[in-house]
Amino acid sequence: MATARYLSHPQVQIDPAVPVPDWGLSPLGLARTQAFAGAPLLRATRRIVSSAERKAIETAQCIASVLGIAVEIRHAMHENDRSATGYLPPPEFEAMADAFFASPTLSIRGWERAVDAQTRIVAEVEAVLAEPGEGDVLFVGHGGVGTLLLCHLGAEPIARKRDQPGGGGNLFAFDAATRIVHHAWRAMEEVAGQ
């Protein structure tokens, strides 16, 4: 039975002068990804599908190069659209993220509504899994929309309590056929030996 995994990119190089979708991985984020790329649990992966944001592509390409497979880019897998505010200092960002998850049907300061971001990421994942193919699938994306996907798969309301631990570089797994969740967010390092 094939497994689908959703991996959030790890730490990024924060630069307030650069649009957030164009941020790349930090040295720590790259090192974590390189260490994870050879994990035994990835050996059955036959498809890697990434968001078009630079940090996700860099994460996906690092893993794909070890596995010898190509990265598929899906533009609608991007993080929730926060362009209305752009970069926010961490305390302000955390308050906004709390509001985003707490009021999923509202646009907070122009951010994409959580319900819309959830519909978008679920549609992308379903479209990929509907295509014929064998083996595991690795989706590489972002913590916000990943959490929205996890809430959907678990038939739970949108809530930040399902959000990934800080720092990124976390993944959850689910059955590619039944969509039953095998495990919620876990750090790459925690599952690397499995």
Side-chain angles (χ1 to χ4, degrees):
M1 228 180 253
T3 298
R5 294 180 178 87
Y6 188 97
L7 172 66
S8 66
H9 64 80
Q11 288 85 351
V12 297
Q13 197 69 48
I14 296 172
D15 184 347
V18 174
V20 176
D22 296 331
W23 288 354
L25 293 179
S26 69
L28 174 59
L30 180 59
R32 290 183 69 205
T33 305
Q34 289 170 333
F36 177 66
L41 66 89
L42 296 175
R43 290 185 189 139
T45 302
R46 297 296 175 262
R47 291 181 76 183
I48 298 180
V49 184
S50 175
S51 155
E53 293 192 33
R54 179 178 166 197
K55 50 196 167 279
I57 292 172
E58 289 179 1
T59 303
Q61 287 176 334
C62 183
I63 296 168
S65 67
V66 171
L67 296 177
I69 56 180
V71 174
E72 302 171 39
I73 306 295
R74 293 191 70 103
H75 292 274
M77 278 181 52
H78 62 81
E79 182 60 291
N80 61 302
D81 185 349
R82 307 188 298 252
S83 57
T85 58
Y87 170 79
L88 295 172
E92 189 176 354
F93 172 81
E94 291 300 326
M96 284 290 294
D98 286 343
F100 170 80
F101 283 103
S103 301
T105 62
L106 300 178
S107 172
I108 310 299
R109 290 179 54 190
W111 279 21
E112 179 181 21
R113 299 184 316 158
V115 290
D116 297 328
Q118 184 181 58
T119 298
R120 175 173 51 75
I121 192 64
V122 168
E124 287 298 288
V125 168
E126 289 295 335
V128 169
L129 295 180
E131 296 171 5
E134 295 183 8
D136 293 352
V137 179
L138 177 66
F139 294 94
V140 182
H142 312 276
V145 289
T147 298
L148 297 173
L149 175 63
L150 182 59
C151 290
H152 169 80
L153 292 169
E156 298 179 29
I158 291 171
R160 193 163 193 199
K161 69 180 181 180
R162 293 290 176 227
D163 200 2
Q164 68 170 341
N170 300 286
L171 72 156
F172 61 84
F174 58 98
D175 186 287
T178 66
R179 313 295 195 263
I180 293 172
V181 176
H182 295 317
H183 66 79
W185 291 115
R186 291 185 187 164
M188 292 189 292
E189 295 80 1
E190 182 183 347
V191 297
Q194 297 177 352

